[in-house]
Amino acid sequence: MKFLFIAAILLFVSGAVLSSKTRLSYLFSFLGSVSAFLTGCFALTQTQVLWSFPLLQHVELSLYIDHLSAIFIIIAAISWMALALYSIDYSKLYPKKRLPLGFNLSLLGMLLILTAHDGITLLMGWEIMTIFAFLMMQGTGKSFEHSYRFLAFGELSTISLLIGFAALYSTVGSLSFDALHNGSFFVLVLLSLGFIIKMDIVPFHGWMRGIYGEIPDNTAALLSAPVTLMGVYGLERIIPLLPNNQLWDIIIILLGAFSAFWGGLQAAAVDKIRLLPAYSTIENNGIILTAIGFYALAEGSGIQGLHYLATFAMAASIILVISHTFSKTLLFMSIGHAKEAYNVHTIDQARGVWSGVGRIPAIGIVISALSFSAFPPLIGYAGEWMILETLFQSYRFPSVALAFSSALAGILIALAIGLISFAMIKLIGYTALGYDHGRKSRPIPNRLMHIAEISLESLIVLGGIGLPLIIMFIGFPQLLTGLLAIPAPLVLASGIPAFGVISPTFIGIIMIVLLIIPVLLFMKNKKKVRKVESWNGGIKLEDAEFFTAPAYSQILEHILRGFYRTREKKSKTRSSISVEDILIWPSEAITRMVRKTGERLSWILMNGKISAYVAYILVLFITVFIIGMLVR
Amino acid sequence: MSQWWPLYGLKKKLTERKEYTSSVKLRLNTTGVFKRSLFVYIIDVGSSNALNFEISALEAPQYNIHRFGIFLTDSPRHADVLLILGHPVKKMIDPLRETILQLPKPFYTITIDDNPHQPDSVDYPELPNHIAALTGVPSPSQILGLLLDIAKTKRKES
């Protein structure tokens, strides 16, 4: 296993070194991901120390791999493999050196995070991942300001983690994860805040609105799926170890639920093709955060009867993580494929992928969007059912406040799932299966893209039908039973005494069987179909006269105008409706303030007068000198 | 004197005729599927307004085509017969083609050319299932007779 791990690291490094040959570099990152995947598979059964290096007396850099790491490495590596395959084809369209360099090294950073067993290694991995993701974002060379915002949020999370680990060291005297048992409330808040920021939970999502339209495809997918996965991993790692605090758990649950609601709400209104999945990431990560918070609350309460519920919440969070990572990677890849083929930016312009671009990306969009809309028997259905079942068992808590806050979170998440289905219909109905207006896409190299898309599509479908297998694989076989005619491990039970059960396997089998008859009937009496344009008095419809995606969202934007700040914009020739995300205002205000301060400072200091410049250098020199004296 | 006009109308039997006949010979064999109802979509491709008056008379109480199960429809997607009024002008050729594309099968097309020698006009495009071609301005009863012939509807005796 050590050999595979070292091989993965070496492959990523050599991929980075060979970044001038983009395709070869991506090939190396693919091989590195395969190697990481195999490492995870071998590590499922046993905990192993991969590397350990004593840095100071009580500080040891160490790389461990245990069951949780193994699960997350496998999930992340599948996403990495798909993305690397996709990028090999994509690099023909976009042959910049910076992208494969950033790609390889951020994968390396993530691998370090997933195996780190102490604060310093984790922070090293964290910084490598953030900085090289930032490098990738600058690949287009036109979105500097927005990518700096991403870096600012990334560094905010690093600072939060840094202070958290410093606090841990000052109280316990160790940076190892084993020392977290003795950590204080302060450590808990800072560390989990660091991870929450990386998960793009709501007040920390200000950077994404401007940037998702401009960055390269593989970067968008990387930022949305594996990078946020690291935040989830961090939380899943530290929350069970640190001493529990009920207030913080409730805050996490409500923050996650609100984030889910807000992500769904904004996703329902956007018309940019990349921004919709980005907001859906906020929604999904919010749901995952709620599941983790619920686990901490139920497990930390110490009540024996809640242990099953806590286990169920943990399983729910991991199933949601699997569903989100696979579906989001697939969604970004398929959308990126369509977007590159059409060379457009909005949902309306990218209509008709099925007939205009190809069947496989269209199926990719449909399957991932259905998975996010909780369509049985896909894996997203299982995950979202599990979280709702968990939250609606809040009556099992003895305290009214706990029961009320969990039920409130349940309501918000149910709303979020509804809103996200509303949003995903736009992707299915317009982008994937819409009318293509006779547009034809430009030919792009797509063989490996297709392989990556097909493999993730089948994983999402099989993951839903084979849910019992996944539940066993992530280590919760006690949640599976049998009921009535359904044999033993096929039913997933949400509570003891019984609360609710599902069996996606059974639903899948029934759907396939019931589907065969109509399909056979359809094939037998196949009717001739003539396709004509919509009737418009004999006059050809203009593109703008079709029912557009903004028109579809308009009813929601009007009803919820308090949330959206819906305004009508009128000009002489046309009028439109604009909506805003009011929760990015704080980060916008900070950005403005920083820019204004910078401008003023530069105006004072660098005003072209040599005397001012000399004075500035003199003051700096004296300050450094004094600080040096003091430190000594 | 004006109060006697109804009696004059009754004497002349303006609304009721024993038979509506058309002098036009059908170019195609018709099916019996329209016996009970026939939906007609009208497109004016460049007539003088006279034909429109004759058509609107068909819907008025005097002729009352609805009693035979003949209806005018607002969309070619619901129509069985496309009634093309006038000699086409250049700009109406594309809308006419689009309209024909929208018709569900089976359907018939009828042309009523009120001014065959109109200056600056073009020929009809190729019309599928062109069952009858009329020239001049036919009377409403002639048009009704033609529609009844196409639908194979039994005429009601008054």
Side-chain angles (χ1 to χ4, degrees), chain A residues 180-405:
Chain A
L180 285 172
H181 291 291
N182 304 319
S184 59
F185 174 61
F186 191 57
V187 176
L188 171 69
V189 170
L190 281 171
L191 289 188
S192 39
L193 205 60
F195 294 126
I196 285 174
I197 293 172
K198 204 70 206 167
M199 283 165 73
D200 306 337
I201 293 301
V202 148
F204 309 110
H205 69 296
W207 59 275
M208 56 167 41
R209 200 163 175 104
I211 193 143
Y212 262 97
E214 293 165 356
I215 49 180
D217 290 327
N218 53 359
T219 316
L222 195 76
L223 283 179
S224 199
V227 170
T228 60
L229 181 74
M230 295 304 119
V232 181
Y233 168 74
L235 275 184
E236 301 246 2
R237 170 63 72 194
I238 62 153
I239 290 267
L241 294 177
L242 277 161
N244 183 54
N245 182 294
Q246 232 170 35
L247 178 68
W248 185 243
D249 293 341
I250 293 179
I251 292 176
I252 283 186
I253 289 178
L254 290 179
L255 188 67
F258 181 73
S259 182
F261 169 69
W262 197 257
L265 195 70
Q266 295 299 332
V270 293
D271 60 344
K272 295 247 170 32
I273 193 161
R274 283 262 200 77
L275 203 54
L276 198 155
Y279 271 113
S280 146
T281 300
I282 299 177
E283 185 253 9
N284 261 277
N285 280 333
I287 298 180
I288 294 168
L289 183 64
T290 308
I292 297 172
F294 195 90
Y295 160 77
L297 190 66
E299 192 71 14
S301 66
I303 303 166
Q304 194 56 41
L306 291 179
H307 179 66
Y308 187 90
L309 193 55
T311 320
F312 191 76
M314 193 63 177
S317 74
I318 296 180
I319 294 290
L320 280 165
V321 163
I322 295 174
S323 144
H324 174 237
T325 310
F326 292 177
S327 311
K328 197 47 67 68
T329 313
L330 174 61
L331 189 56
F332 266 110
M333 286 196 311
S334 316
I335 280 182
H337 189 162
K339 185 178 158 294
E340 288 307 323
Y342 277 138
N343 207 6
V344 292
H345 287 286
T346 64
I347 294 174
D348 273 330
Q349 290 165 336
R351 282 181 195 165
V353 175
W354 176 270
S355 48
V357 180
R359 303 286 145 97
I360 295 168
I363 294 175
I365 294 174
V366 170
I367 285 189
S368 50
L370 285 180
S371 174
F372 284 123
S373 318
F375 185 83
L378 304 176
I379 189 160
Y381 159 70
E384 290 180 12
W385 177 81
M386 283 172 89
I387 181 66
L388 286 180
E389 285 283 298
T390 313
L391 291 171
F392 290 132
Q393 286 185 69
S394 58
Y395 66 88
R396 292 189 200 266
F397 283 113
S399 145
V400 177
L402 298 188
F404 176 74
S405 47

Side-chain angles (χ1 to χ4, degrees), chain A residues 410-606:
Chain A
I411 293 166
L412 282 174
I413 286 182
L415 267 174
I417 295 172
L419 285 167
I420 215 74
S421 311
F422 183 90
M424 287 300 165
I425 288 170
K426 281 200 273 193
L427 284 186
I428 299 175
Y430 288 97
T431 308
L433 308 176
Y435 177 53
D436 64 2
H437 298 257
R439 262 193 299 246
K440 281 285 164 258
S441 57
R442 58 176 178 164
I444 55 171
N446 56 10
R447 194 179 302 155
L448 291 172
M449 282 185 184
H450 281 170
I451 293 175
E453 283 158 4
I454 289 176
S455 43
L456 280 184
E457 283 158 15
S458 40
L459 266 181
I460 292 170
V461 177
L462 293 179
I465 295 177
L467 185 74
L469 274 180
I470 295 186
I471 298 267
M472 281 194 249
F473 150 78
I474 60 175
F476 300 98
Q478 68 270 33
L479 301 177
L480 299 166
T481 64
L483 188 77
L484 299 176
I486 310 174
L490 292 186
V491 174
L492 179 63
S494 67
I496 291 177
F499 186 74
V501 288
I502 54 163
S503 175
T505 320
F506 203 68
I507 297 177
I509 293 168
I510 288 178
M511 280 176 82
I512 290 168
V513 170
L514 288 186
L515 208 67
I516 287 172
I517 301 163
V519 165
L520 283 180
L521 281 177
F522 179 76
M523 301 275 275
K524 203 180 167 197
N525 358 314
K526 207 174 180 185
K527 286 192 175 167
K528 273 188 187 168
V529 176
R530 185 157 43 112
K531 282 190 178 168
V532 289
E533 286 196 21
S534 308
W535 174 243
N536 185 34
I539 303 164
K540 259 200 162 8
L541 277 170
E542 308 258 324
D543 273 7
E545 284 173 328
F546 279 81
F547 188 62
T548 55
Y552 170 81
S553 308
Q554 191 268 340
I555 182 72
L556 198 71
E557 287 165 13
H558 179 68
I559 293 169
L560 302 176
R561 55 193 176 278
F563 286 110
Y564 285 125
R565 316 272 300 168
T566 313
R567 296 266 181 286
E568 191 180 354
K569 278 185 183 168
K570 268 186 181 172
S571 71
K572 272 184 185 170
T573 49
R574 53 181 298 166
S575 63
S576 61
I577 281 176
S578 73
V579 291
E580 289 177 61
D581 180 354
I582 53 176
L583 290 183
I584 62 169
W585 286 358
S587 65
E588 295 278 318
I590 293 172
T591 317
R592 268 201 302 278
M593 203 177 72
V594 169
R595 192 188 294 141
K596 204 168 262 183
T597 320
E599 273 170 11
R600 194 157 296 166
L601 273 180
S602 66
W603 185 67
I604 295 169
L605 294 176
M606 296 176 230

